[in-house]
Amino acid sequence: MLVAFILVYLLVTILIGRWAAQRVKSANDFMVAGRSLPLGISTCVIFATWFGSETMLGATSEFAQHGLQGVMEDPFGASLCLLLVGLFYARKLYRSNVLTFCDYFKIRFGKKAEVISALLMVPSYFGWIAAQIVAMGIVINTVMGIPSSIAMLASGLIVMAYTYMGGMWSVSITDFIQTIMIIIGILVITYNVVDQAGGLQTVIDKAPPGTFQFFPHNDWNSWLKYMAAWFTIGLGSIPQQDVFQRLMSSKSEKVAQYSSYLGALMYLVIGSLPLLIVLCAQQLYPALSAGDTEKILPNMVLQHGNLFTQVLFFGALLSAIMSTTSGAILAPSTVLGENIIRPFFKDIPDAKFLRIIRLSVVIVSAISMLMALGSQNIYELVASSSVLSLVSLFVPLTAGLYWKRANEAGAILSIITGTVGYILSEIFEPETPSLFIGLLSSIAGMLIGTFFWKKKDTTPSASSYSSSPV
């Protein structure tokens, strides 16, 4: 029965994506849903940005082993990111009226900054998408017994299919429905397992020492690692196309800002519940912790849950992973088509441009599936996907929005020095986290380029921007 539900769910998802694709009349519809999403759908779309394998499987695994200290990155860092986006970035970026972050870099800093940022942004998504594909493979393998490699390929192709058909319209409608399933499923399961474990206070009292330690030990290295965990997604995911694209799909800048706030609140609350569930699972069924900690929740539901609980859990889990995967595929595909492939064509017709974006969806999906087959550790794949954007793009984006003096030379040097500093620190492995070395190098590059690099002003104005605005 559970297998039948999984198959029907996947089929219905494809059909919903196909139905949503009927709204796509142009490339702009495909990429930003016509900038027409109301607050409710926009909030669900933004909430679903990262609520996937890392939250449901990766973070619960880390929490089972290290307590709260292991999950600063997600859900806490992810919630912080959405809050900061709403406070400082949503309105300014929405007013830019462009399709991608890299379009903004072109307007603010010039063509070179656009190309460099695009070349860095696109590969930064591959690890994130691969992590979601690995998670879908784990779920299908656990439930149906299909070999993991076949399960990953099949699930990756399904998400690619409905993203290819409807773009942001498919992503938005499926995200809305999947978010409802996530909330209902997680709330019901949390209530049930907490009740079985003797109530919330009993669960807290039986938790291992240090489980709820929020702050690190009072030494310099511990605090550096702690802050690095907050920064990885908290700041690193701000200059990412998936967040930007979902903001730009809102029907107004006010909706974009408020949906960021509501998304942050939902992420923190709903994202904390799987941690509580895994804590209950450890107390109710200690033997589960002896195996793969990423499979504690799926194994608990399969071995000890009734059919209703299994349907709720795996429905919520698949919903979370698929909603994240579809948006993550669309984001780099948009940048690849708009900022890397499109410049090779002059006066390209909209229909041809739409075909280019859809082809980009296939390319990004194929590369990510290959990565998933090569590395099947969710936590490692996610960590590798967020740091690059932090050390290369966060500083020039923020400086471009809030520092009038920031120029093209500063932006390019910031991107290059941040990336090089991070790579070198990864090679030589100093005690200071590589993230901070890369971030400080990026700041230094922005300052040096802005103050000491003499050049004529060639940055195009928004009115002279040649690419199609939304």
Coordinates of all heavy atoms in Angstrom, one line a residue, residues 202-238:
T202 N 9.1 14.9 29.6 CA 9.8 13.7 29.7 C 10.9 13.5 28.7 O 12.0 13.1 29.0 CB 8.8 12.5 29.6 OG1 7.8 12.6 30.6 CG2 9.6 11.2 29.8
V203 N 10.6 13.9 27.4 CA 11.6 13.8 26.4 C 12.8 14.7 26.7 O 14.0 14.3 26.5 CB 11.0 14.2 25.0 CG1 12.0 14.3 23.9 CG2 9.9 13.2 24.6
I204 N 12.5 15.9 27.1 CA 13.6 16.8 27.5 C 14.4 16.3 28.6 O 15.7 16.4 28.6 CB 13.0 18.2 27.8 CG1 12.4 18.8 26.5 CG2 14.1 19.1 28.3 CD1 11.6 20.1 26.8
D205 N 13.8 15.8 29.6 CA 14.5 15.3 30.8 C 15.4 14.1 30.5 O 16.5 13.9 31.1 CB 13.5 14.9 31.9 CG 12.8 16.1 32.5 OD1 13.3 17.2 32.3 OD2 11.7 15.9 33.1
K206 N 15.0 13.3 29.5 CA 15.8 12.1 29.2 C 16.8 12.3 28.1 O 17.6 11.4 27.8 CB 14.8 11.0 28.7 CG 13.9 10.4 29.7 CD 13.1 9.2 29.1 CE 12.2 8.6 30.2 NZ 11.4 7.5 29.6
A207 N 16.9 13.5 27.6 CA 17.9 13.8 26.6 C 19.3 13.7 27.1 O 19.5 14.1 28.3 CB 17.6 15.2 26.0
P208 N 20.2 13.3 26.3 CA 21.6 13.2 26.8 C 22.2 14.5 27.1 O 21.7 15.6 26.6 CB 22.4 12.6 25.5 CG 21.3 12.0 24.7 CD 20.0 12.7 24.9
P209 N 23.1 14.6 28.1 CA 23.7 15.9 28.5 C 24.3 16.6 27.3 O 24.9 16.0 26.4 CB 24.8 15.5 29.5 CG 24.4 14.1 30.0 CD 23.7 13.5 28.8
G210 N 24.1 17.9 27.2 CA 24.6 18.7 26.2 C 23.7 18.8 24.9 O 24.1 19.5 24.0
T211 N 22.6 18.0 24.9 CA 21.8 18.0 23.7 C 21.3 19.4 23.3 O 21.2 19.8 22.2 CB 20.6 17.1 23.9 OG1 21.0 15.8 24.1 CG2 19.6 17.1 22.7
F212 N 20.9 20.2 24.4 CA 20.3 21.5 24.1 C 21.3 22.7 24.4 O 20.8 23.8 24.6 CB 19.0 21.7 25.0 CG 18.0 20.7 24.7 CD1 17.7 19.6 25.6 CD2 17.3 20.7 23.5 CE1 16.8 18.7 25.4 CE2 16.3 19.7 23.2 CZ 16.1 18.7 24.2
Q213 N 22.5 22.4 24.3 CA 23.5 23.4 24.5 C 23.6 24.3 23.2 O 24.0 23.8 22.2 CB 24.9 22.8 24.8 CG 26.0 23.9 25.0 CD 27.4 23.3 25.2 OE1 27.5 22.2 25.7 NE2 28.4 24.1 25.0
F214 N 23.1 25.5 23.4 CA 23.0 26.4 22.2 C 24.3 27.1 21.8 O 24.6 27.3 20.6 CB 21.9 27.4 22.4 CG 21.5 28.2 21.2 CD1 20.6 27.6 20.3 CD2 21.9 29.4 20.9 CE1 20.2 28.3 19.1 CE2 21.5 30.1 19.8 CZ 20.7 29.5 18.9
F215 N 25.0 27.5 22.8 CA 26.3 28.2 22.6 C 27.5 27.3 22.8 O 27.4 26.3 23.5 CB 26.4 29.4 23.5 CG 25.3 30.5 23.3 CD1 24.3 30.6 24.2 CD2 25.4 31.3 22.2 CE1 23.3 31.5 24.0 CE2 24.4 32.3 22.0 CZ 23.3 32.4 22.9
P216 N 28.6 27.6 22.1 CA 29.8 26.7 22.2 C 30.6 27.0 23.5 O 30.2 27.8 24.3 CB 30.6 27.2 21.0 CG 30.3 28.6 20.8 CD 28.8 28.7 21.2
H217 N 31.6 26.1 23.7 CA 32.5 26.3 24.8 C 33.2 27.6 24.7 O 33.4 28.2 23.5 CB 33.5 25.2 24.9 CG 32.8 23.8 25.1 ND1 32.1 23.5 26.3 CD2 32.7 22.7 24.3 CE1 31.6 22.3 26.1 NE2 31.9 21.8 25.0
N218 N 33.7 28.2 25.8 CA 34.3 29.5 25.8 C 35.8 29.4 25.4 O 36.7 29.7 26.1 CB 34.2 30.2 27.1 CG 32.8 30.6 27.4 OD1 32.1 31.1 26.5 ND2 32.3 30.5 28.7
D219 N 36.0 29.1 24.1 CA 37.4 29.2 23.6 C 37.2 29.7 22.1 O 36.2 29.5 21.5 CB 38.1 27.8 23.6 CG 37.4 26.7 22.8 OD1 37.8 26.6 21.6 OD2 36.6 26.0 23.3
W220 N 38.3 30.3 21.6 CA 38.3 31.0 20.3 C 37.9 30.1 19.2 O 37.1 30.4 18.4 CB 39.6 31.6 20.1 CG 39.8 32.4 18.8 CD1 40.6 32.1 17.8 CD2 39.0 33.6 18.5 NE1 40.4 33.1 16.8 CE2 39.5 34.0 17.2 CE3 38.1 34.4 19.1 CZ2 39.0 35.1 16.6 CZ3 37.6 35.5 18.5 CH2 38.0 35.9 17.2
N221 N 38.5 28.9 19.1 CA 38.3 28.0 18.0 C 36.8 27.5 18.0 O 36.2 27.4 16.9 CB 39.2 26.8 18.0 CG 40.6 27.2 17.6 OD1 40.8 28.1 16.9 ND2 41.6 26.4 18.1
S222 N 36.3 27.2 19.1 CA 34.9 26.8 19.2 C 33.9 27.9 18.7 O 33.0 27.6 18.0 CB 34.5 26.4 20.6 OG 35.3 25.3 21.1
W223 N 34.2 29.1 19.1 CA 33.3 30.2 18.6 C 33.5 30.5 17.1 O 32.5 30.8 16.5 CB 33.6 31.5 19.4 CG 32.9 31.6 20.7 CD1 33.3 31.3 22.0 CD2 31.5 32.0 20.8 NE1 32.3 31.4 22.9 CE2 31.2 31.9 22.2 CE3 30.5 32.4 19.9 CZ2 29.9 32.2 22.7 CZ3 29.3 32.7 20.4 CH2 28.9 32.6 21.8
L224 N 34.7 30.3 16.6 CA 34.9 30.5 15.2 C 34.1 29.4 14.4 O 33.4 29.8 13.4 CB 36.3 30.4 14.8 CG 37.2 31.6 15.1 CD1 38.7 31.3 14.7 CD2 36.7 32.8 14.3
K225 N 34.1 28.2 14.8 CA 33.4 27.1 14.1 C 31.9 27.3 14.3 O 31.1 27.1 13.4 CB 33.8 25.8 14.7 CG 35.2 25.4 14.4 CD 35.6 24.0 15.0 CE 37.0 23.7 14.7 NZ 37.4 22.4 15.3
Y226 N 31.5 27.8 15.4 CA 30.1 28.1 15.7 C 29.6 29.2 14.7 O 28.5 29.1 14.1 CB 29.9 28.6 17.1 CG 28.5 28.9 17.6 CD1 27.6 27.9 17.9 CD2 28.2 30.3 17.7 CE1 26.3 28.3 18.3 CE2 26.9 30.6 18.2 CZ 26.0 29.6 18.5 OH 24.7 29.9 18.9
M227 N 30.3 30.3 14.6 CA 29.9 31.4 13.7 C 30.0 31.0 12.3 O 29.1 31.4 11.5 CB 30.8 32.6 14.0 CG 30.7 33.2 15.3 SD 29.0 33.7 15.8 CE 28.6 34.9 14.5
A228 N 30.9 30.1 11.9 CA 31.0 29.6 10.6 C 29.8 28.8 10.2 O 29.3 28.9 9.1 CB 32.3 28.8 10.4
A229 N 29.2 28.0 11.2 CA 28.0 27.3 10.9 C 26.8 28.2 10.6 O 26.0 27.9 9.8 CB 27.7 26.3 12.1
W230 N 26.7 29.3 11.4 CA 25.7 30.3 11.2 C 25.8 30.9 9.8 O 24.8 31.2 9.1 CB 25.7 31.3 12.3 CG 25.0 31.0 13.5 CD1 25.5 30.4 14.7 CD2 23.6 31.1 13.8 NE1 24.5 30.2 15.6 CE2 23.3 30.6 15.1 CE3 22.5 31.6 13.1 CZ2 22.1 30.6 15.7 CZ3 21.2 31.6 13.7 CH2 21.0 31.1 15.0
F231 N 27.0 31.3 9.5 CA 27.3 32.1 8.2 C 27.1 31.2 7.0 O 26.8 31.8 5.9 CB 28.7 32.6 8.3 CG 28.9 33.8 9.1 CD1 28.0 34.2 10.1 CD2 30.1 34.6 9.1 CE1 28.1 35.3 10.9 CE2 30.2 35.7 9.9 CZ 29.3 36.0 10.8
T232 N 27.4 29.9 7.0 CA 27.4 29.1 5.8 C 26.1 29.3 5.0 O 26.1 29.6 3.8 CB 27.6 27.6 6.2 OG1 28.8 27.5 6.8 CG2 27.5 26.8 4.9
I233 N 24.9 29.1 5.6 CA 23.7 29.3 4.9 C 23.1 30.7 5.3 O 22.5 31.4 4.5 CB 22.6 28.2 5.3 CG1 23.1 26.9 4.7 CG2 21.3 28.6 4.7 CD1 22.2 25.7 4.9
G234 N 23.3 31.1 6.6 CA 22.8 32.4 7.0 C 23.1 33.6 6.2 O 22.3 34.5 5.9
L235 N 24.4 33.6 5.7 CA 24.9 34.7 4.8 C 25.1 34.1 3.4 O 24.9 34.8 2.4 CB 26.1 35.4 5.4 CG 26.0 36.1 6.7 CD1 27.4 36.7 7.1 CD2 24.9 37.1 6.7
G236 N 25.6 32.9 3.4 CA 26.1 32.3 2.1 C 24.9 32.1 1.1 O 25.2 32.2 -0.1
S237 N 23.7 31.9 1.6 CA 22.6 31.7 0.7 C 21.9 33.0 0.3 O 20.9 32.9 -0.5 CB 21.6 30.7 1.3 OG 22.2 29.4 1.3
I238 N 22.3 34.1 0.8 CA 21.6 35.4 0.4 C 21.9 35.7 -1.1 O 21.0 36.0 -1.8 CB 22.1 36.5 1.3 CG1 21.5 36.4 2.7 CG2 21.7 37.9 0.7 CD1 22.0 37.4 3.7

